[in-house]
């Protein structure tokens, strides 16, 4: 009898609980504000996340070598005041210099004393045989050093940033200077290590003897911003100017989604890259073929033109990064998602990303990571304003926004000649007659320009007053 | 018909084939040569980059001194909207005297400079930071 009474009470309590839960759901009150995709959020707990990753295809397959190549210098400018050579990553001499510089950089440690030098001294150092490593992005010293496959942490201060490194062998004093140059080229932090470097000088001399094209920095020609150029376009001192046109292979860029059926099937695999099980998301396909996934705290859109967008809609939500205060972890996390998406759509080729963008600076826990496709030593830019292949915003340890152009990029059989850099700067000036008198062109480099599936050889120009443009032939 | 032809000739004024060594311009402010930074320069290379800035639309023709007369070389360029110019020229060993003839319409400016080709001085090094 007593047993029967207990059963009755329990049953009544369960029924009452069901009724009140039903009432709460009908009144549109969330029981779990964070959402009901429990396995996704459990994945944000480190131990559980690691365990779940082992059983899903979301386990990071990013190889260390892929990361190192993504953060390498875009170009190397070697020479002295009488002339310079520019090496791209697909040149064999580029790899030779990287190898020599790696041995130098590995001797650099934070306890070596440093001093700050300014623009005149920086420019003077480059008048001697030297190597200028043009990264094309800004990062802290540790990240730049890691591009030489330095595995052990160097612990340089993380609040110091640079956009390029200058290596100057000083054989007369048996030293080598390593200068981390700021974005504007006005200052550099210089370390001097106690070793002469004959190998580097020999390599620079070898390049000089083989040189067929001559390059110069803007300051070599006194065309840098400090000069009294009156109404002329103002150039950052380390803009590279060439007097002969660059030639190379043209590439072909194609949309990976050749029909709507393919898109719908592939989209389900793409959302896996974001850590979701597509069957647990609300999915809708628009008339235009755009596939949209909605989860309580995020949306994923996959467009027919190959663009994927992820956006976490709630604060404190997104794709968790294991060590968000470390630049390497953040870059790897974004690269891992991008590589995963790319592999899902195109299994035959690597994406071959490089780090790009204006800044990778910790701004109160907010970062922006930008990646470009990179082929033949030249980045690929999308649209008239030179959009990156991947743009991601990280906040408070989570990837909050992620946008990617998915495209298959291969070399074609056709050659192409880039327009001259002077023509590109003239076109920029022509288009921007109302530009600020204080504006300085801080980035001018070759790119492949993709606009509406048409590929052209072009130049990417970026000025200090926020004008970013592509100029192509 | 004759008036039209005359107008065409005066509107498109070509740089002359040669200029005397004492030629002076009839205007200023068209160009400023920034490289070389001074009237005299030297290089160990067999080429040199002439650079500067100037007024957009101005045409610059390079002349070289030979036998006391400046003769037109094959180097000529128009200054574009950026106001910048830079051109690589081949130079010989020894002193090379040049003249930039910058013209627009009937006005022209003269800028002279000299580049010495030093082919035997490839190994000069100085302390880079002093």
């Amino acid at each position: 009898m007593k047993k029967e009474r207990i059963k009755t009470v329990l049953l009544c309590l369960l029924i009452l609980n069901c009724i009140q839960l039903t009432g709460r759901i009908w009144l549109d009150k969330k029981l779990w504000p964070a959402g009901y995709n429990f396995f996704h959020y459990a994945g944000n707990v480190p131990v559980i996340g690691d365990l779940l990753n082992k059983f899903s295809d979301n386990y990071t397959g990013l190889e260390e070598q892929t990361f190192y190549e993504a953060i390498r210098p875009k170009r190397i400018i070697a020479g002295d005041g009488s002339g310079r050579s520019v090496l791209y990553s697909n040149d064999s001499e580029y790899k030779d210099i990287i190898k020599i510089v790696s041995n130098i950089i590995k001797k650099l440690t934070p306890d070596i004393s440093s001093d700050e030098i300014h623009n005149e001294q920086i420019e003077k150092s480059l008048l001697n045989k030297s190597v200028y490593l043009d990264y094309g992005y800004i990062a802290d010293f540790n990240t730049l050093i890691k591009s030489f496959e330095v595995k052990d942490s160097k612990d340089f201060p993380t609040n110091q940033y640079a956009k390029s490194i200058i290596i100057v062998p000083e054989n007369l004093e048996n030293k080598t200077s390593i200068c981390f140059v700021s974005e504007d080229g006005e200052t550099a932090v210089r370390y001097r290590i106690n070793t002469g470097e004959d190998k580097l000088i020999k390599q620079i001399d070898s390049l000089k003897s083989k040189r067929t094209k001559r390059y110069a920095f803007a300051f070599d020609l006194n065309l840098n911003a400090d000069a009294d150029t009156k109404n002329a376009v103002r150039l950052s001192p380390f803009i590279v100017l060439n007097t002969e046109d660059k030639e190379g292979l043209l590439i072909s860029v194609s949309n990976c989604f050749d029909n709507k059926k393919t898109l719908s099937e592939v989209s389900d695999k793409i959302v896996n890259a974001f850590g979701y099980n597509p069957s647990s998301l609300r999915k809708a396909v628009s008339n235009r073929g755009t596939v949209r996934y909605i989860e309580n705290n995020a949306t994923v859109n996959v467009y027919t033109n190959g663009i994927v967008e992820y956006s976490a809609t709630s604060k404190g939500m997104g794709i968790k990064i294991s060590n968000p205060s470390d630049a390497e972890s953040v870059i790897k996390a974004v690269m891992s998602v991008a590589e995963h998406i790319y592999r899902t759509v195109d299994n035959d080729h690597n994406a071959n990303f490089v780090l790009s963008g204006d800044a990778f600076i910790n701004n109160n826990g907010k970062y922006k990571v930008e990646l470009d496709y990179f082929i033949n030593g030249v980045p690929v830019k999308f649209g008239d304003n030179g959009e990156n292949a991947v743009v991601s915003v990280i906040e408070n340890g989570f990837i909050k926004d992620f946008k990617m152009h998915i495209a298959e990029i291969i070399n074609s059989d056709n050659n192409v000649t880039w327009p001259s850099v002077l023509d590109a700067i003239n076109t920029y000036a022509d288009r921007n007659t109302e530009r600020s008198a204080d504006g300085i062109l801080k980035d001018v480099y070759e790119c492949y320009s993709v606009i509406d599936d048409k590929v052209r050889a072009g130049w990417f120009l970026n000025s200090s007053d926020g004008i970013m443009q592509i100029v192509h032939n | 018909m004759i008036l039209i032809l005359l107008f065409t000739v005066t509107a498109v004024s070509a740089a002359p084939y040669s200029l005397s060594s004492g030629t002076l311009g009839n205007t200023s402010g068209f160009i400023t040569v920034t490289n070389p930074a001074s009237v005299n320069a030297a290089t160990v290379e067999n080429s040199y980059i002439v650079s500067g800035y100037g007024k957009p639309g101005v045409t610059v023709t390079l002349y070289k001194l030979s036998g006391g007369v400046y003769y037109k070389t094959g180097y000529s360029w128009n200054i574009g909207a950026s106001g910048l110019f830079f051109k690589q020229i081949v130079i010989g060993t020894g002193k090379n005297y040049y003249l930039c003839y910058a013209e627009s319409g009937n006005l022209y400016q003269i800028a002279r400079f000299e580049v010495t080709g030093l082919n035997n001085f490839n190994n000069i090094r100085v302390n880079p930071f002093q």
Side-chain angles (χ1 to χ4, degrees):
Chain A
M1 189 62 185
K2 195 177 179 183
K3 233 190 238 178
E4 292 301 319
R5 185 171 281 182
I6 291 170
K7 279 188 203 171
T8 305
V9 168
L10 277 175
L11 195 56
C12 289
L13 283 172
L14 283 170
I15 293 169
L16 283 171
N17 195 35
C18 284
I19 293 170
Q20 72 89 15
L21 284 173
T22 304
R24 288 179 72 181
I25 290 168
W26 283 356
L27 293 170
D28 200 25
K29 195 171 184 179
K30 290 181 182 175
L31 294 173
W32 284 272
Y36 301 103
N37 195 347
F38 301 113
F39 288 108
H40 174 72
Y41 296 111
N44 286 336
V45 178
V47 173
I48 299 174
D50 291 341
L51 188 63
L52 287 174
N53 278 338
K54 287 187 193 317
F55 293 99
S56 76
D57 71 344
N58 200 29
Y59 186 69
T60 174
L62 190 72
E63 295 173 8
E64 282 297 292
Q65 190 61 30
T66 306
F67 168 69
Y68 292 134
E69 286 172 8
I71 61 172
R72 285 242 163 96
K74 299 274 183 312
R75 301 181 294 190
I76 295 175
I77 298 100
D80 56 30
S82 66
R84 305 186 192 277
S85 305
V86 172
L87 305 173
Y88 298 87
S89 62
N90 55 336
D91 293 324
S92 58
E93 293 93 344
Y94 174 101
K95 297 177 179 60
D96 294 338
I97 289 202
I98 288 287
K99 202 172 168 184
I100 296 171
V101 170
S102 291
N103 290 331
I104 298 170
I105 293 283
K106 280 169 184 166
K107 293 173 187 162
L108 178 62
T109 53
D111 57 325
I112 294 173
S113 64
S114 65
D115 62 344
E116 187 175 275
I117 59 174
H118 297 276
N119 49 359
E120 276 186 29
Q121 283 174 293
I122 299 170
E123 291 168 14
K124 207 165 186 177
S125 73
L126 286 167
L127 293 179
N128 284 270
K129 289 178 189 177
S130 53
V131 160
Y132 180 97
L133 307 171
D134 181 8
Y135 281 85
Y137 63 85
I138 304 168
D140 60 63
F141 295 3
N142 294 308
T143 303
L144 298 178
I145 287 169
K146 276 178 187 160
S147 67
F148 298 100
E149 302 186 29
V150 174
K151 291 186 173 44
D152 299 329
S153 173
K154 290 283 185 173
D155 292 328
F156 283 90
T158 53
N159 59 350
Q160 288 180 300
Y161 301 94
K163 198 171 175 182
S164 56
I165 296 177
I166 299 173
I167 311 284
V168 187
E170 299 174 41
N171 275 4
L172 293 174
E173 296 193 29
N174 213 32
K175 288 181 190 292
T176 300
S177 287
I178 303 167
C179 305
F180 292 84
V181 184
S182 64
E183 182 194 4
D184 59 10
E186 295 286 317
T187 58
V189 176
R190 175 180 64 176
Y191 297 86
R192 299 174 80 190
I193 58 175
N194 290 320
T195 175
E197 264 306 326
D198 281 342
K199 279 187 190 170
L200 191 56
I201 292 204
K202 282 177 187 160
Q203 189 69 24
I204 294 169
D205 285 339
S206 164
L207 285 167
K208 188 172 178 175
S209 64
K210 288 189 282 187
R211 186 162 58 214
T212 54
K213 288 189 169 73
R214 269 192 69 195
Y215 294 81
F217 284 120
F219 84 84
D220 286 326
L221 306 180
N222 299 307
L223 292 175
N224 49 302
D226 286 344
D228 180 18
T229 56
K230 293 186 182 164
N231 296 324
V233 168
R234 302 177 71 206
L235 304 176
S236 167
F238 305 116
I239 295 288
V240 177
L241 302 172
N242 57 309
T243 54
E244 292 174 41
D245 301 339
K246 177 181 166 69
E247 291 173 350
L249 278 174
L250 190 59
I251 59 172
S252 91
V253 177
S254 51
N255 190 345
C256 296
F257 305 142
D258 49 10
N259 58 56
K260 289 181 184 177
K261 180 171 179 290
T262 308
L263 177 60
S264 187
E265 287 169 4
V266 168
S267 297
D268 284 351
K269 294 179 187 171
I270 288 173
V271 295
N272 276 329
F274 296 108
Y276 293 106
N277 182 343
S279 58
S280 67
L281 304 177
R282 280 170 281 171
K283 178 178 176 178
V285 181
S286 74
N287 289 339
R288 291 184 184 177
T290 302
V291 184
R292 185 175 168 89
Y293 297 87
I294 302 170
E295 193 265 337
N296 283 336
N297 298 293
T299 58
V300 179
N301 292 315
V302 184
Y303 299 92
T304 53
N305 61 1
I307 293 179
V308 172
E309 285 180 334
Y310 165 90
S311 183
T313 52
S314 298
K315 198 176 173 182
M317 289 296 168
I319 303 168
K320 187 167 173 62
I321 296 175
S322 57
N323 187 2
S325 59
D326 174 50
E328 180 177 344
S329 295
V330 175
I331 297 167
K332 279 181 171 174
V334 174
M335 279 189 69
S336 189
V337 172
E339 286 268 343
H340 190 156
I341 293 172
Y342 194 86
R343 281 293 194 169
T344 297
V345 175
D346 182 344
N347 292 321
D348 294 335
H349 301 96
N350 286 326
N352 203 22
F353 290 119
V354 286
L355 191 61
S356 182
D358 207 26
F360 177 66
I361 294 172
N362 189 345
N363 186 7
N364 294 323
K366 192 169 178 177
Y367 302 84
K368 194 174 176 188
V369 174
E370 293 166 322
L371 303 172
D372 285 327
Y373 292 115
F374 203 61
I375 183 167
N376 302 327
V378 169
V380 180
K381 297 286 191 184
F382 294 86
D384 291 315
N385 296 327
E387 278 184 36
N388 305 101
V390 176
V391 179
S392 183
V393 174
I394 294 93
E395 268 185 50
N396 301 317
F398 290 90
I399 295 176
K400 192 115 173 73
D401 293 295
F402 180 98
K403 180 180 176 184
M404 178 173 173
H405 290 262
I406 307 176
E408 186 185 14
I409 297 175
I410 54 175
N411 277 319
S412 74
D413 295 327
N414 301 319
N415 288 326
V416 69
T417 301
W418 266 258
S420 75
V421 67
L422 185 56
D423 283 345
I425 297 172
N426 281 332
T427 303
Y428 160 84
D430 220 5
R431 286 181 190 169
N432 300 285
T433 51
E434 301 298 321
R435 65 185 185 274
S436 157
D438 296 328
I440 296 172
L441 264 181
K442 54 181 186 172
D443 290 308
V444 179
Y445 53 81
E446 297 97 335
C447 68
Y448 290 106
S449 162
V450 182
I451 299 175
D452 297 330
D453 291 336
K454 192 166 168 56
V455 183
R456 295 181 183 90
W459 290 86
F460 175 76
L461 295 100
N462 184 19
S463 72
S464 61
D465 49 0
I467 301 173
M468 274 199 293
Q469 282 182 359
I470 297 290
V471 172
H472 54 70
N473 53 14
Chain B
M1 186 67 146
I2 294 170
L3 284 172
I4 292 168
L5 281 172
L6 280 173
F7 177 75
T8 306
V9 166
T10 52
V12 181
S13 168
Y17 172 69
S18 64
L19 295 165
S20 68
S21 59
T23 299
L24 297 173
N26 59 13
T27 192
S28 62
F30 273 1
I31 62 166
T32 301
V33 175
T34 56
N35 196 56
S38 62
V39 174
N40 302 304
T43 181
V44 298
E45 305 274 335
N46 56 12
S47 63
Y48 191 81
I49 301 178
V50 179
S51 67
Y53 56 87
K55 202 173 166 186
V58 164
T59 300
V60 183
T61 306
L62 190 70
Y63 287 75
K64 188 173 177 184
L65 188 70
S66 175
V69 177
Y70 283 98
Y71 291 98
K72 191 195 281 192
T73 67
Y75 301 108
S76 180
W77 57 89
N78 291 317
I79 297 179
S82 69
L84 304 173
F85 67 85
F86 48 91
K87 193 81 174 173
Q88 181 170 318
I89 62 174
V90 174
I91 61 166
T93 306
K95 289 189 187 295
N96 299 270
Y97 297 93
Y98 293 102
L99 177 157
C100 282
Y101 181 92
E103 63 172 330
S104 179
N106 291 329
L107 300 174
Y108 60 94
Q109 177 190 350
I110 302 291
R112 290 180 174 78
F113 60 91
E114 170 198 325
V115 180
T116 303
L118 305 167
N119 286 335
N120 296 322
F121 288 82
N122 281 310
N123 295 315
I124 295 173
R125 296 199 71 238
V126 296
N127 187 319
F129 292 101
Q130 286 181 349

